[in-house]
Amino acid sequence: MGIFKIFTHLTIKCVGVANLSITGFEPKPSVKIENIVATVILDQMLDTDLIEEKIPDVTYQPDQFPGLVLRLEKPKTTALIFKSGKMVVTGAKSTAQLIDVVKKIIRLLKKAGIKIVSKPRIQIQNIVASGDIGALVNLERAAYLLEDSMYEPEQFPGLIHRMRDPRVVLLIFSSGKMVITGAKEESEVERAVVNTAKKLKELGCLIPKGV
């Protein structure tokens, strides 16, 4: 057991589990999707030279990068389009918005003279979200009691928690703010934040703001 773990263990022994939580207090966690990264697969080859010629706001430098970069303003998203028919779309704030963006890209391709022969297949690779537990967090205590967590304040101010179900990574800060990565569905993000808030409360790691 390292020095930090020993110190935390002794602190918890002295303070006591019950004394660190406030009865009747219920955290109110919140979540905001910041970015969705998804791949879109078209079962066909694409003429990237024609796309560059016909669609504005496109960057294509095949000698530096094999993909064509398409930037949309509304909503503000970016698509990397490859000759293989594969695309990578970033910037969407929800699954519904992602689907709308893909539909918009397909309409642009059709307008450019590209015949789309199949329905695009969308696969979400990563959802990045911010969250707020709605309470302050005793990170030293959480680091000792919360499984699959790591906290090294000399190197990074947040606690890293690798949740098993759903399989996401949470960066938790003493302010109660969080960053969530690795989710494949929006529901996983919300479930991760709610369950983490519940677990931290059970472990006596939460302190109401303003107390």
Side-chain angles (χ1 to χ4, degrees):
M1 183 181 289
I3 294 176
F4 171 72
K5 289 286 187 179
I6 294 173
F7 174 77
T8 307
H9 178 70
L10 292 174
T11 302
I12 291 172
K13 283 282 188 180
C14 293
V15 176
V17 173
N19 294 334
L20 282 178
S21 60
I22 298 179
T23 56
F25 164 66
E26 286 296 333
K28 296 181 179 179
S30 59
V31 177
K32 179 184 177 184
I33 304 296
E34 302 291 348
N35 182 31
I36 296 179
V37 180
T39 54
V40 181
I41 300 172
L42 297 173
D43 293 322
Q44 65 184 89
M45 300 294 289
L46 296 175
D47 187 340
T48 49
D49 293 318
L50 179 61
I51 295 172
E52 180 192 22
E53 179 185 341
K54 297 290 185 178
I55 300 179
D57 302 318
V58 157
T59 302
Y60 187 43
Q61 298 175 319
D63 55 326
Q64 297 182 22
F65 182 72
L68 180 149
V69 183
L70 170 62
R71 294 180 175 85
L72 301 178
E73 284 298 322
K74 294 183 180 180
K76 201 170 187 66
T77 50
T78 301
L80 305 179
I81 304 175
F82 300 91
K83 286 185 177 182
S84 63
K86 182 178 179 180
M87 295 186 282
V88 178
V89 180
T90 64
K93 306 292 186 181
S94 68
T95 303
Q97 189 178 81
L98 171 63
I99 293 172
D100 288 340
V101 168
V102 173
K103 288 179 178 178
K104 187 172 184 178
I105 294 171
I106 296 301
R107 287 197 297 270
L108 288 172
L109 293 178
K110 288 180 177 179
K111 191 174 180 180
I114 304 295
K115 185 177 179 180
I116 304 300
V117 299
S118 63
K119 185 177 180 179
R121 289 182 282 125
I122 303 173
Q123 298 175 345
I124 293 178
Q125 302 298 330
N126 185 26
I127 297 178
V128 179
S130 58
D132 192 337
I133 292 177
L136 303 178
V137 183
N138 184 328
L139 294 182
E140 289 81 6
R141 181 179 176 82
Y144 186 82
L145 296 176
L146 187 63
E147 292 184 357
D148 302 311
S149 63
M150 181 175 67
Y151 181 49
E152 298 181 2
E154 304 86 4
Q155 299 181 24
F156 183 71
L159 179 146
I160 303 172
H161 175 47
R162 300 183 185 279
M163 183 174 273
R164 299 181 185 182
D165 183 25
R167 192 172 290 277
V168 300
V169 176
L170 301 97
L171 306 181
I172 306 172
F173 300 90
S174 60
S175 63
K177 301 291 185 182
M178 309 171 74
V179 177
I180 307 96
T181 66
K184 300 296 177 71
E185 299 177 6
E186 289 182 64
S187 60
E188 291 182 345
V189 175
E190 186 167 352
R191 184 155 59 94
V193 173
V194 170
N195 289 352
T196 299
K198 181 180 178 181
K199 187 64 176 179
L200 289 174
K201 180 178 182 295
E202 291 174 354
L203 297 174
C205 300
L206 298 186
I207 306 166
K209 294 181 179 180
V211 173

